[in-house]
């Protein structure tokens, strides 16, 4: 159990997570539509409409302080995106005995004793991640620039609420992200519901929102929700064809992402 006593924004986020975590039926229609678009070859037409928005810069360049309000918000993944990759997901899967599939869902099918052991492994693994949490290079600066540009920011993670709180407190980001959703929000990634919830809370069309992450769950979630998706490469995802196929933009570093946002960019149309 954790407390939310630091700010009004934090309390409001907690209330949102509790309310929408218990029921996400209001997103059912949007989810159905997103699933249809996901399998529709004409989705490229939607993405092309977004691509034209990206022809102008989002952040001010060195020679200009004028900011084009093309993108209204950025949704960030946490582990491996806002923070430096540390956790070895493949090793965790091997320890639990779930080589493929959605780990959280598969665990719920286990017998009670095995399920309890699996949750204990995940808890220990996540505690280790909190102890070794470091910011991704360039992240703090880009977050500040987006704030100055009046671009909304949110977090959508499959990590637990305790880790999310630790991140917000450790780096004094409590006021930067609204909402900030942990896996207690259900259904979590790769379902589009968390991203759709953020867009709904902001009252912003999903096509005007950038989803930045390093995993296939991030790309599937953002893509199905109708967001622009940006994949941050690392040693663990370079060969992940599914993630690459659902990314509109692929970058090596946060600074490269900043360069694209500053200069303006044209995103590619994924094959899916």
């Amino acid at each position: 159990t954790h407390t939310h006593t630091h700010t009004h924004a934090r309390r409001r986020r907690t209330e949102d997570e509790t309310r929408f975590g218990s029921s996400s039926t209001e997103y059912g229609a949007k989810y159905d539509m997103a699933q249809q678009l996901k399998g529709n070859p004409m989705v490229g037409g939607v993405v092309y409409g977004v691509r034209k928005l990206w022809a102008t810069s989002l952040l001010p360049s060195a020679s200009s302080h004028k900011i084009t309000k093309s993108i209204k918000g950025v949704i960030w993944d946490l582990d491996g995106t806002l923070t430096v990759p540390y956790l070895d997901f493949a090793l965790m899967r091997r320890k639990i005995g779930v080589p493929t599939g959605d780990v959280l869902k598969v665990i719920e099918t286990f017998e009670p004793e095995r399920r309890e052991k699996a949750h204990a492994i995940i808890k220990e693994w996540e505690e280790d991640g909190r102890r070794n949490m470091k910011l991704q290079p360039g992240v703090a600066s880009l977050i500040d620039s987006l704030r100055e540009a009046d671009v909304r920011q949110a977090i959508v993670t499959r990590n637990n609420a305790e880790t999310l709180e630790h991140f917000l407190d450790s780096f004094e980001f409590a006021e930067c992200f609204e909402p900030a959703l942990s896996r207690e929000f259900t259904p979590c990634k790769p379902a589009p519901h968390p991203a759709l919830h953020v867009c709904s809370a902001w009252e912003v069309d999903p096509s005007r929102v950038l989803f930045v992450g390093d995993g296939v769950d991030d790309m599937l979630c953002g893509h199905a929700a109708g967001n622009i998706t940006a994949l941050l490469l690392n040693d663990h995802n370079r060969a992940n064809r599914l993630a690459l196929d659902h990314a509109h933009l692929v970058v090596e570093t946060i600074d490269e992402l900043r360069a694209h946002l500053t200069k303006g960019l044209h995103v590619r149309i994924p094959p899916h």
Side-chain angles (χ1 to χ4, degrees), residues 46-252:
V46 177
V47 176
Y48 180 74
V50 173
R51 180 169 64 173
K52 291 189 291 186
L53 291 173
W54 280 83
T56 50
S57 63
L58 170 62
L59 298 176
S61 65
S63 61
S64 173
H65 293 289
K66 184 177 180 180
I67 302 167
T68 303
K69 305 292 187 180
S70 297
I71 300 303
K72 300 296 185 182
V74 176
I75 300 174
W76 296 92
D77 168 51
L78 179 57
D79 301 289
T81 302
L82 288 170
T83 62
V84 174
Y86 172 77
L87 298 173
D88 189 335
F89 289 90
L91 176 60
M92 183 270 291
R93 282 180 173 275
R94 289 197 295 272
K95 285 186 175 181
I96 294 176
V98 183
T100 60
D102 189 317
V103 172
L104 298 177
K105 289 184 178 180
V106 174
I107 286 175
E108 294 309 309
T109 68
F110 287 175
E111 294 297 323
E113 184 177 353
R114 186 184 178 192
R115 183 167 63 244
E116 183 177 347
K117 290 181 179 179
H119 282 300
I121 291 172
I122 291 178
K123 181 179 180 180
E124 179 182 357
W125 179 73
E126 290 177 331
E127 288 174 350
D128 183 41
R130 287 195 293 274
R131 288 191 296 269
N132 292 276
M133 185 178 285
K134 296 180 181 179
L135 274 185
Q136 189 84 249
V139 155
S141 176
L142 182 52
I143 289 172
D144 286 342
S145 295
L146 290 168
R147 290 184 70 185
E148 292 172 3
D150 293 325
V151 176
R152 306 288 294 273
Q153 297 180 83
I155 294 176
V156 170
T157 178
R158 280 171 62 93
N159 212 316
N160 61 28
E162 186 177 357
T163 298
L164 179 56
E165 286 297 318
H166 177 79
F167 170 80
L168 295 172
D169 291 340
S170 298
F171 301 107
E172 299 182 352
F173 283 149
E175 300 292 339
C176 299
F177 303 101
E178 179 68 33
L181 304 179
S182 64
R183 66 167 174 258
E184 281 75 14
F185 178 100
T186 56
C188 58
K189 299 182 295 187
H193 296 62
L196 290 172
H197 167 64
V198 171
C199 296
S200 177
W202 289 345
E203 298 183 345
V204 171
D205 188 282
S207 67
R208 308 294 290 274
V209 173
L210 175 67
F211 197 123
V212 185
D214 72 320
V216 63
D217 290 338
D218 305 313
M219 299 301 99
L220 292 175
C221 174
H223 193 277
N227 303 144
I228 301 167
T229 52
L231 179 67
L232 180 63
L233 289 179
N234 56 45
D235 292 339
H236 302 290
N237 64 16
R238 291 180 185 278
N240 193 317
R241 192 73 255 169
L242 189 58
L244 291 166
D245 283 350
H246 286 81
H248 297 105
L249 177 67
V250 179
V251 296
E252 293 278 352

